Amino acid sequence: MERVERNTKIAGIDVGKRWLDVAVHGQGETRRFGNDETGHEALIGWLTEQGVVRAGLEATAGYERQIRTRLEAVGLEVVVHQPLEVRLFARLKRWKAKTDALDAALIAAATAQVDTVRAAQDPRLVELAQRLTAYEQITDQAAAMKTFMEHVDLPDLIQTLDEQIQSLSDLKARLADQILEQIKACPDLLTRHRLLMSLPGVGPIVAASLLIRMPELGNLRRGQAAALLGVAPFDRQSGQWKGQAFIGGGRARPRHMLYLAAIAAKRFDPGFKAFAQRLRDAGKPPKVAIVAVMRKLIEAANLVLARQLPWRSVAP
């Protein structure tokens, strides 16, 4: 990542389902383009005329994916902000009015504060991420339906729900197969996937989640992977909180997957089992021990990818 010069022209794009509202940082003019192929072409042409080299977007339920891909394809730097980041920035700057045009200007201002940008997203991971999201949502739907069935005793309704759950299970299995087949078709992704699977408790789907959702793994310093996932403890020494540390933020979807891996590693891997037991013997609550295992696992994932060597379990 490279630091961007201060004279870089920066635009903010407020992404909606139908429209893209655009503002250039430091200029009063805003423009609106359609969020479709024609609008994307017109937007890119206008940004080029304005000399813009960096654009900021707000993650908006996936509506930003296509325009992000188009912008990166023509060589623009793209920063994708989480909605909370933009809201907090607005509060910091005391921006209370809200229109699409003002939101675009706000996003441009927030983007101007970013010193570095991430590398352009790998288009292979973009497609895999959509399939993985579908897999995760179908898993949640099936789980919710099974919970609902615990309170159903009508035979015809039970049969209907059973059929729905089976249909979801079949679709989930097909999506898993598609994800793994696409990974196998790319030698570099397959190598990373196999290295991740060498970790205790990490199965094919958990490894795929880390591969897709955390492409930075292998290029992070010690502690960064845990912070990125959201399992790094941060001290809170204010008010009633004294001498305690808390986790927060991070990437929820891969964190949920790694939680499952941590449960398995804590039960079946001698090294991780002993590590968790030492924490429990020291008086740590069960959840704290599991988070510590997750932290150890994600740092190990970063290490095996950096070294390009599989994990070797160590004796307790």
Side-chain angles (χ1 to χ4, degrees):
M1 295 185 292
E2 297 180 357
R3 185 173 293 273
V4 178
E5 299 297 331
R6 291 186 178 181
N7 60 359
T8 295
K9 272 204 169 182
I10 296 170
I13 305 174
D14 182 55
V15 180
K17 183 177 181 179
R18 296 178 57 194
W19 302 106
L20 302 170
D21 290 276
V22 190
V24 177
H25 183 55
Q27 299 181 10
E29 181 183 8
T30 60
R31 296 285 297 272
R32 168 170 280 194
F33 301 88
N35 193 2
D36 53 28
E37 186 173 349
T38 302
H40 294 173
E41 290 293 337
L43 168 61
I44 290 171
W46 186 75
L47 292 176
T48 302
E49 292 175 2
Q50 300 296 314
V52 170
V53 297
R54 177 198 276 189
L57 311 171
E58 185 179 13
T60 314
Y63 294 126
E64 79 286 351
R65 289 182 190 140
Q66 290 187 349
I67 186 58
R68 176 184 181 178
T69 300
R70 295 298 306 277
L71 292 172
E72 289 182 336
V74 297
L76 269 73
E77 299 171 349
V78 179
V79 177
V80 179
H81 301 278
Q82 293 303 311
L84 179 60
E85 296 174 2
V86 178
R87 289 199 299 271
L88 292 176
F89 184 80
R91 186 181 302 174
L92 177 67
K93 297 298 183 181
R94 298 184 179 181
W95 289 22
K96 296 183 179 180
K98 182 174 176 60
T99 66
D100 292 337
L102 289 175
D103 284 347
L106 174 64
I107 294 168
T111 305
Q113 303 300 310
V114 178
D115 288 331
T116 57
V117 295
R118 292 168 56 184
Q121 58 185 352
D122 186 332
R124 300 172 302 174
L125 298 184
V126 174
E127 181 178 343
L128 283 165
Q130 291 189 43
R131 295 188 189 278
L132 182 59
T133 298
Y135 175 93
E136 293 163 343
Q137 292 183 348
I138 289 166
T139 301
D140 292 341
Q141 290 176 22
M145 199 167 292
K146 288 177 182 178
T147 301
F148 175 68
M149 279 191 65
E150 296 176 1
H151 308 285
V152 175
D153 55 14
L154 298 177
D156 61 324
L157 187 53
I158 290 175
Q159 181 179 352
T160 299
L161 292 173
D162 275 336
E163 292 172 355
Q164 290 290 328
I165 291 172
Q166 186 59 52
S167 177
L168 289 172
S169 297
D170 292 343
L171 178 55
K172 176 182 170 182
R174 289 199 301 273
L175 285 167
D177 288 342
Q178 291 168 5
I179 290 168
L180 297 178
E181 284 301 318
Q182 285 186 239
I183 291 173
K184 289 177 183 177
C186 303
D188 58 326
L189 297 183
L190 179 59
T191 297
R192 289 172 64 84
H193 188 257
R194 286 175 173 169
L195 287 169
L196 290 169
M197 281 191 61
S198 71
L199 295 166
V202 176
I205 293 299
V206 175
S209 178
L210 295 177
L211 174 72
I212 296 165
R213 306 284 194 204
M214 297 191 66
E216 302 92 343
L217 288 174
N219 296 300
L220 301 172
R221 296 190 301 275
R222 183 176 181 180
Q224 287 184 322
L228 196 62
L229 188 71
V231 292
F234 293 97
D235 291 336
R236 185 179 296 177
Q237 304 288 343
S238 177
Q240 62 178 321
W241 307 109
K242 297 293 183 182
Q244 297 189 49
F246 298 82
I247 64 171
R251 299 181 185 176
R253 289 174 175 172
R255 184 169 64 246
H256 173 73
M257 288 289 188
L258 198 68
Y259 173 82
L260 302 177
I263 294 294
K266 185 173 72 73
R267 289 177 180 173
F268 303 113
D269 181 79
F272 279 91
K273 185 176 182 178
F275 171 69
Q277 189 58 50
R278 287 197 298 271
L279 294 175
R280 296 290 289 120
D281 292 342
K284 300 297 183 182
K287 288 185 178 180
V288 171
I290 292 174
V291 170
V293 172
M294 292 172 66
R295 185 161 56 248
K296 198 175 183 69
L297 273 175
I298 196 62
E299 291 295 330
N302 185 59
L303 191 62
V304 298
L305 291 178
R307 294 179 176 177
Q308 291 292 292
L309 293 172
W311 176 263
R312 291 185 178 180
S313 294
V314 295

